[in-house]
Amino acid sequence: MARLREFEIGEALDGVMGVFWRQGYDGASMQDIEAATGLNKQSLYRIFPDKRAMYLAALERFEAIEFEKAEEALTGPATARARFEALFGGVIAQAAQGDRRGCFLCNAAADQGQEDEEATAIVSAAMGRLEKMFRKALAISAPYNRDRKACEERAAALLSTYLGLRILTKADAPLRVIKAAASAAVKTI
Amino acid sequence: MARLREFEIGEALDGVMGVFWRQGYDGASMQDIEAATGLNKQSLYRIFPDKRAMYLAALERFEAIEFEKAEEALTGPATARARFEALFGGVIAQAAQGDRRGCFLCNAAADQGQEDEEATAIVSAAMGRLEKMFRKALAISAPYNRDRKACEERAAALLSTYLGLRILTKADAPLRVIKAAASAAVKTI
DNA sequence: TCAATAGTTGACCATTCAGTCCGCAATTAC
DNA sequence: GTAATTGCGGACTGAATGGTCAACTATTGA
């Protein structure tokens, strides 16, 4: 006996995510969020208790999307090297298209690292899961299917490179450097 | 015929840097900066025209300090691998001591990337210089002293890993992962 | 002594911000 | 129709912000 919601929460969350991704927590005002979602404050506050909840929800949504993309790249091809070529290729393509937003999780680490433990926990957990995914992706090929230590180390190094690539993207580094880094990193596999 | 300044601008700048490093631009209020420097607003505003100038000056100071440290690590030892072992060892030591501030330049990229072109330019230039320094540090050893492409690619990959290490530090990743990443990265040299 | 600058304290201003509230129209189920 | 909810718009609040100003003391060189 009540009116139904006219928009998808997911779509609103996409808008929220975009703003925080681009502008950070403090850099995004409620006005920006209203504009990005096409909703007004009241509708937003009906869904989320406060701005921080919007941020955390956006962060978690980003993580989910990011994981889906990474999983696709890292399970499709049949060799470890091809898998990471696919993953890093996506980063390069993004940078080549002028998308300089970088990685929202990295941004969040820098943005909220000292202020919001919950945000840091989300980021930290995401990186842990990513590392695990990297290890699994490596374990399809030799020597990583036999040598556990090599697998762990390589996964950690690739994760580090991956995050670095996204920082370089955000920092507007020349595409040449981004491509070179990705290329060299893949060759180590 | 005038009273002399009673503090060192450099010391004040160190305080300013610490605050922005930890809290980001928007996250740092003038009150925080007053507390960190031990100066009051008026004295601060006599040195800097506004808050943004303080931020940019702090960023440049960080870059200078960071470069000095990197230069020391990357010119001391006699082999390329030992040089990067020294550099990454510093990052690990910092993380091991619980210093989770990460890299101010990376933070700045995330924090001010979309808002302040000058900050982005500083960050971008710093990364360019860092890449150049990495190349020079590699060029002492084979095959990088002969193979220019290998040198460029390796330098880019190491830069990416280096930035990634600092993000992992900021994101509170387990020390195990940071160490593993550094170890594997150094082995690729 | 005098002029000029440094430094401190506290008041002050305009703006912005997150968050709340109210009124109104629209939509749904009963 | 009625009750309940959604969405919109605008007004509003209290707090915090960056930045300025004025008044006062202290220190310096001439």
Side-chain angles (χ1 to χ4, degrees), chain B residues 1-4 28-31 41-42 45 50-51:
Chain B
M1 39 169 133
R3 182 175 170 184
L4 300 178
S29 71
M30 285 306 302
Q31 279 191 29
K41 271 199 270 195
Q42 289 61 30
Y45 277 111
D50 52 27
K51 187 183 172 189

Side-chain angles (χ1 to χ4, degrees), chain B residues 98-141:
Chain B
D99 180 350
R100 297 287 178 172
R101 287 174 299 179
C103 164
F104 187 17
L105 287 162
C106 297
N107 296 0
D111 198 39
Q112 295 296 301
Q114 305 282 331
E115 297 182 48
D116 188 329
E117 288 185 16
E118 207 171 339
T120 311
I122 293 174
V123 174
S124 178
M127 306 234 161
R129 276 199 286 280
L130 214 49
E131 192 235 341
K132 204 170 164 185
M133 189 187 291
F134 277 28
R135 269 190 276 146
K136 215 168 148 189
L138 283 173
I140 200 180
S141 295

Side-chain angles (χ1 to χ4, degrees), chain A residues 1-7 38 40 42-43 46:
Chain A
M1 38 171 135
R3 184 176 168 182
L4 299 180
R5 199 189 295 108
E6 289 177 0
F7 58 89
N40 61 9
Q42 289 60 31
S43 299
R46 212 191 304 270

Side-chain angles (χ1 to χ4, degrees), chain A residues 34-104:
Chain A
E34 285 184 279
T37 56
L39 301 173
N40 61 9
K41 271 199 269 195
Q42 289 60 31
S43 299
L44 288 165
Y45 277 110
R46 212 191 304 270
I47 310 177
F48 305 102
D50 52 27
K51 189 185 173 188
R52 180 151 300 273
M54 298 179 204
Y55 185 81
L56 295 175
L59 198 55
E60 275 167 346
R61 181 165 184 84
F62 177 86
E63 194 209 326
I65 293 171
E66 204 65 6
F67 261 69
E68 206 176 328
K69 277 205 291 186
E71 182 113 50
E72 199 184 318
L74 292 179
T75 55
T79 68
R81 182 179 286 196
R83 289 174 167 184
F84 284 93
E85 265 167 9
L87 182 68
F88 290 174
V91 176
I92 292 171
Q94 225 174 340
Q97 281 166 18
D99 181 348
R100 297 286 176 169
R101 287 174 298 178
C103 164
F104 186 17

